[in-house]
Amino acid sequence: MGPTANSLLETDLIHTFVAISEAGNFTAAAKRVLRTPSAVSMQMKRLEEQLGRPLFHRHGRHVSLTVDGEALLIHSRELLRINEEALARFRVAQLEGRVRFGALDDFGSRFLPEILARFASTHPLVEVDVVLSTTAALTEKLEAGDVDLILTAARAEESPPGESIYREALVWVGKRNGIAHKRTPIPLTLSDQGCPWRAAALKWIESQKLRYRIAYTCETGQGQLAAVQSDLAIAPIPASLVTDDHEVLGPKQGFSQIGDYQLLLCEGKKIGSAGRAFAAHVTSSFRAVTAMAS
């Protein structure tokens, strides 16, 4: 029996399905959702009947997802997230106030629109002021009390103050079908002094004993990518920023991944309840990004 035009997925079934996919077996998932294994089994039978597709491969006591199960898992996590946001909108007391938030320019343009829209849906009375700048400048503003919390970057092996909420690989990129990486010395376009991407890139290229020169410096990622797009230099950027206009430089060209970087959420000493609510929202948003990527 497949889905009909009026079929609706039950939240309880979806919650149990996600628990099974994460636990790898029905018994462990049953403990998570506070049901008996037989009840969990019956739930999944109902879900598979409703969808008309098998969702699990059975391997004794353990299970793995079918192709359809993997597809459903993506939708399920999004459905649960939306459900939690809807409940939060009516459960929490209506916060009022103002949050001063600082973020890196590159991540402000990529992640902030959705983060701000979702926060406004659950906390419509909170005013959010956003400052986009560099890690060094944002840190100074936080210490001076000019902002309530900041989102900055650091190399993965570093342990600076703040909560690590996101991690990603840095890669070398050049213009697609470009020749900048073949020049000697290799022209680089980098961010300003103090940026962890710059430090990680220079550490890598010096460890390879490659001849290089810093051809362009810009405090924003978009400025660096302009030099890449003109085939004037290569740049270290987060893997998620790679587009069809870029060529990731790998072993074939004599390059490799530079290493990982992390995003850190740092709170000021006088952050209020509205600021703490926004901080929790930013953290959950990046965890959702990580879950979707995995």
Side-chain angles (χ1 to χ4, degrees), residues 38-286:
S38 59
V40 165
S41 181
M42 289 297 295
Q43 281 188 308
M44 292 305 95
K45 182 179 179 182
R46 284 171 53 199
L47 184 59
E48 288 181 324
E49 288 178 347
Q50 183 179 15
L51 296 176
R53 305 283 182 87
L55 301 175
F56 302 100
H57 294 299
R58 269 78 174 177
H59 315 282
R61 294 184 178 181
H62 296 279
V63 297
S64 60
L65 296 179
T66 64
V67 173
D68 289 318
E70 291 174 350
L72 179 62
L73 181 60
I74 296 173
H75 295 298
S76 296
R77 285 176 169 154
E78 184 67 9
L79 286 170
L80 292 178
R81 181 188 66 77
I82 294 172
N83 184 67
E84 289 172 1
E85 285 187 2
L87 288 174
R89 172 67 175 80
F90 296 99
R91 280 179 176 171
V92 298
Q94 287 293 306
L95 281 177
E96 297 185 27
R98 178 183 175 211
V99 179
R100 299 167 300 168
F101 176 59
L104 297 172
D105 183 81
D106 302 311
F107 292 95
S109 60
R110 290 169 59 202
F111 297 114
L112 265 185
E114 182 177 354
I115 289 175
L116 292 176
R118 288 174 53 196
F119 185 74
S121 70
T122 55
H123 299 83
L125 302 182
V126 176
E127 175 187 352
V128 182
D129 294 342
V130 178
V131 176
L132 301 180
S133 190
T134 63
T135 290
L138 292 173
T139 301
E140 289 181 4
K141 288 183 177 294
L142 186 69
E143 292 174 350
D146 295 333
V147 291
D148 300 308
L149 67 160
I150 58 174
L151 185 66
T152 63
R155 284 183 287 173
E157 63 269 22
E158 296 178 330
S159 300
E163 178 187 2
S164 180
I165 62 172
Y166 184 71
R167 182 170 174 148
E168 188 180 13
L170 286 171
V171 296
W172 288 107
V173 297
K175 179 180 174 64
R176 182 164 294 281
N177 300 320
I179 61 171
H181 66 280
K182 298 179 181 179
R183 298 191 179 108
T184 303
I186 303 169
L188 307 181
T189 174
L190 301 172
S191 51
D192 289 338
Q193 292 280 357
C195 175
W197 301 356
R198 177 190 179 108
L202 291 178
K203 180 180 179 180
W204 182 91
I205 205 165
E206 289 170 359
S207 73
Q208 304 301 307
K209 296 182 171 52
L210 298 175
R211 292 183 58 203
Y212 71 92
R213 68 183 181 91
I214 300 175
Y216 300 92
T217 299
C218 183
E219 70 175 23
T220 67
Q222 292 305 313
Q224 296 168 52
L225 291 178
V228 171
Q229 189 57 31
S230 301
D231 200 21
L232 298 174
I234 66 172
I237 67 171
S240 62
L241 281 180
V242 175
T243 70
D244 291 339
D245 296 327
H246 304 139
E247 179 178 2
V248 176
L249 304 175
K252 181 179 178 181
Q253 296 89 2
F255 291 81
S256 65
Q257 284 191 0
I258 302 163
D260 288 356
Y261 76 95
Q262 58 181 327
L263 288 183
L264 299 159
L265 189 63
C266 308
E267 298 182 7
K269 296 179 180 178
K270 296 183 178 180
I271 188 171
S273 56
R276 283 190 290 272
F278 188 75
H281 178 77
V282 172
T283 299
S284 64
S285 294
F286 275 98

